[in-house]
Amino acid sequence: MSPGAADLGLYVLLFLAFWTAWICFTLYGNVAGERTRARTVLAAMFGMAVMAPAVPGVHAGEDGQARALALAYILIRILANGAWRHRREILFDWPAAQMSLGVIPWIVSLWAHEPARYWLWALGIALDLYVTFTVSARDVIESRRAHDESRRSHDQREDTRSRRRDGMLPMSGAAPDADHLSERLGLFVIIVLGEGVAQMIEAASDAAWDRRLYGLASAAFFLLVALWSLSFRHGYAGVPYLTARSLPARAALPLHCFVSGCLAALAAGLGAAAEHLDTLPESTRWLLCSSLAGYFLLTGIAALRQPDVVRRWLLSVVLPCCALPLLIAGFGAGLGTVAVVWLLVAVTLWPTFYESRRPRPVEPAARPGA
């Protein structure tokens, strides 16, 4: 079955939900380090394990599995909020990791049906993004301190143990460990690229092994390898042309999310392509090409932070790598499946070829006697 617009929208929504749940505990483990509560993380892993198998049922419109996914997401976010409250820390770069405003629509969705359920989930994700980009973590600290002072005035007769339990310890700010976070983010991207390999293996197990399948498998492998090279050999934390500490986490994390989402959509498109070896359906062709175009668009955004990037590089690399996949999607109806994927391989190899052909700056010669 070829994906439609509704399928794409549901994919984006579910991917953002999974990524949001994952990043909350990735950041918690990054900041807590050896003091990470194993039971809390294991409980969150169990929630993710419930969410993953519920996805096909959500796609099929099953109310029971949709409620199970929403309930698991709610519990994960509540666990994350409790973990940060216990540490008495606020992440300046990602305050939504320990705030529950975006969970409220998910709770309401437990009593809703589709499509209202999906709109409530989207509202919850939007509220998380709003909190992240508009609310200052320092304001949150002051708000919670004021709340603590109010509680203290009403609980003068409570003992010291009760005060500690209720959160009377001072609030402080926290910043992620950049090197460790980069390793975690990069691992996530590797898993997403591996999903592309898994999609091809699963599709090949049900297809006839002929010349077309060999050609598609080879093209898909080269495409994934080229993307891996751009994301890691020419990038940082899985984001191509992003350098270490060139962006604060509040800006770098959304880039990572959207790059990973584009790669995951591309992986799904490769799996669907193996089911249509003669001619790609239009929706699958658009899925493959637009996800690659989105990847390179985000590559251009990340590259703007590079001090040596010039307008010629953006025009010579980013623009064609965004435009050509869309041209293939729009005018490639007569192309075979294998031809489409090999064309995408050529587009993906172009940045590396361009970099290799670009003249290197000449080092000034040393003066005699220097």
Side-chain angles (χ1 to χ4, degrees), residues 321-340:
C321 287
C322 290
L324 289 176
L326 297 179
L327 290 175
I328 295 170
F331 301 98
L335 297 174
T337 300
V338 178
V340 169

Side-chain angles (χ1 to χ4, degrees), residues 231-308:
S231 291
F232 291 94
R233 298 183 65 186
H234 302 279
Y236 173 76
V239 179
Y241 295 98
L242 183 68
T243 57
R245 298 178 177 85
S246 63
L247 284 176
R250 187 176 291 209
L253 287 176
L255 276 179
H256 173 269
C257 175
F258 295 134
V259 164
S260 301
C262 289
L263 291 177
L266 183 71
L270 291 174
E275 300 174 2
H276 304 88
L277 293 174
D278 292 324
T279 303
L280 274 177
E282 183 179 5
S283 57
T284 303
R285 188 174 68 252
W286 272 103
L287 176 63
L288 280 169
C289 296
S290 60
S291 59
L292 189 65
Y295 173 88
F296 280 110
L297 176 62
L298 295 167
T299 297
I301 295 174
L304 289 174
R305 301 293 300 186
Q306 296 276 10
D308 58 342

Side-chain angles (χ1 to χ4, degrees), residues 14-349:
L14 292 177
F15 181 85
L16 287 174
F18 273 93
W19 187 88
T20 300
W22 173 80
I23 200 62
C24 285
F25 278 91
T26 297
L27 291 169
Y28 165 65
N30 174 271
V31 173
E34 295 181 354
R35 296 184 178 181
T36 301
R37 288 187 163 189
R39 288 176 297 180
T40 302
V41 175
L42 289 173
M45 290 173 61
F46 177 78
M48 298 283 286
V50 172
M51 290 176 64
V55 170
V58 173
H59 184 265
E62 296 288 341
D63 282 346
Q65 295 188 36
R67 289 194 179 96
L69 185 145
L71 183 59
Y73 178 83
I74 293 166
L75 294 177
I76 290 172
R77 294 297 304 276
I78 291 174
L79 281 171
N81 183 273
W84 285 104
R85 280 184 177 272
H86 174 76
R87 291 191 58 80
R88 303 297 294 166
E89 289 180 325
I90 295 290
L91 271 176
F92 288 155
D93 289 320
W94 201 259
Q98 61 274 324
M99 298 182 67
S100 303
L101 179 63
V103 179
I104 296 175
W106 286 79
I107 296 174
V108 177
S109 75
L110 295 175
W111 293 273
H113 301 279
E114 60 173 319
R117 174 192 298 126
Y118 304 142
W119 287 109
L120 286 167
W121 292 358
L123 176 61
I125 298 296
L127 287 174
D128 282 332
L129 294 176
Y130 173 80
V131 167
T132 297
F133 293 109
T134 63
V135 177
S136 167
R138 292 176 176 84
D139 293 340
V140 178
I141 290 177
E142 293 301 324
S143 175
R144 289 195 175 179
R145 281 177 176 169
H147 176 67
D148 288 346
E149 291 294 334
S150 176
R151 293 185 64 180
R152 184 182 294 112
S153 65
H154 289 85
D155 298 332
Q156 291 294 331
R157 290 176 294 180
E158 290 189 359
D159 58 23
T160 303
R161 181 179 179 183
S162 177
R163 289 175 183 269
R164 288 175 180 169
R165 184 184 67 242
D166 289 341
M168 297 301 160
L169 297 176
M171 184 76 68
S172 63
D177 182 325
D179 293 334
H180 178 263
L181 183 60
S182 170
E183 188 269 335
R184 295 291 93 187
L185 297 178
L187 179 61
F188 187 91
V189 173
I190 289 177
I191 293 173
V192 171
L193 291 171
E195 179 63 20
V197 178
Q199 290 275 357
M200 286 301 304
I201 292 174
E202 181 179 359
S205 64
D206 298 326
W209 287 34
D210 54 18
R211 185 171 57 186
R212 295 172 304 172
L213 182 62
Y214 297 149
L216 177 62
S218 300
F221 179 78
F222 277 104
L223 179 61
L224 294 172
V225 169
L227 290 170
W228 167 84
S229 178
L230 288 177
S231 291
F232 291 94
R233 298 183 65 186
H234 302 279
Y236 173 76
V239 179
Y241 295 98
L242 183 68
T243 57
R245 298 178 177 85
S246 63
L247 284 176
R250 187 176 291 209
L253 287 176
L255 276 179
H256 173 269
C257 175
F258 295 134
V259 164
S260 301
C262 289
L263 291 177
L266 183 71
L270 291 174
E275 300 174 2
H276 304 88
L277 293 174
D278 292 324
T279 303
L280 274 177
E282 183 179 5
S283 57
T284 303
R285 188 174 68 252
W286 272 103
L287 176 63
L288 280 169
C289 296
S290 60
S291 59
L292 189 65
Y295 173 88
F296 280 110
L297 176 62
L298 295 167
T299 297
I301 295 174
L304 289 174
R305 301 293 300 186
Q306 296 276 10
D308 58 342
V309 169
V310 294
R311 185 179 302 176
R312 184 176 65 179
W313 188 91
L314 294 174
L315 294 176
S316 301
V317 176
V318 176
L319 180 60
C321 287
C322 290
L324 289 176
L326 297 179
L327 290 175
I328 295 170
F331 301 98
L335 297 174
T337 300
V338 178
V340 169
V341 179
W342 274 113
L343 286 174
L344 296 183
V345 172
V347 171
T348 308
L349 290 175

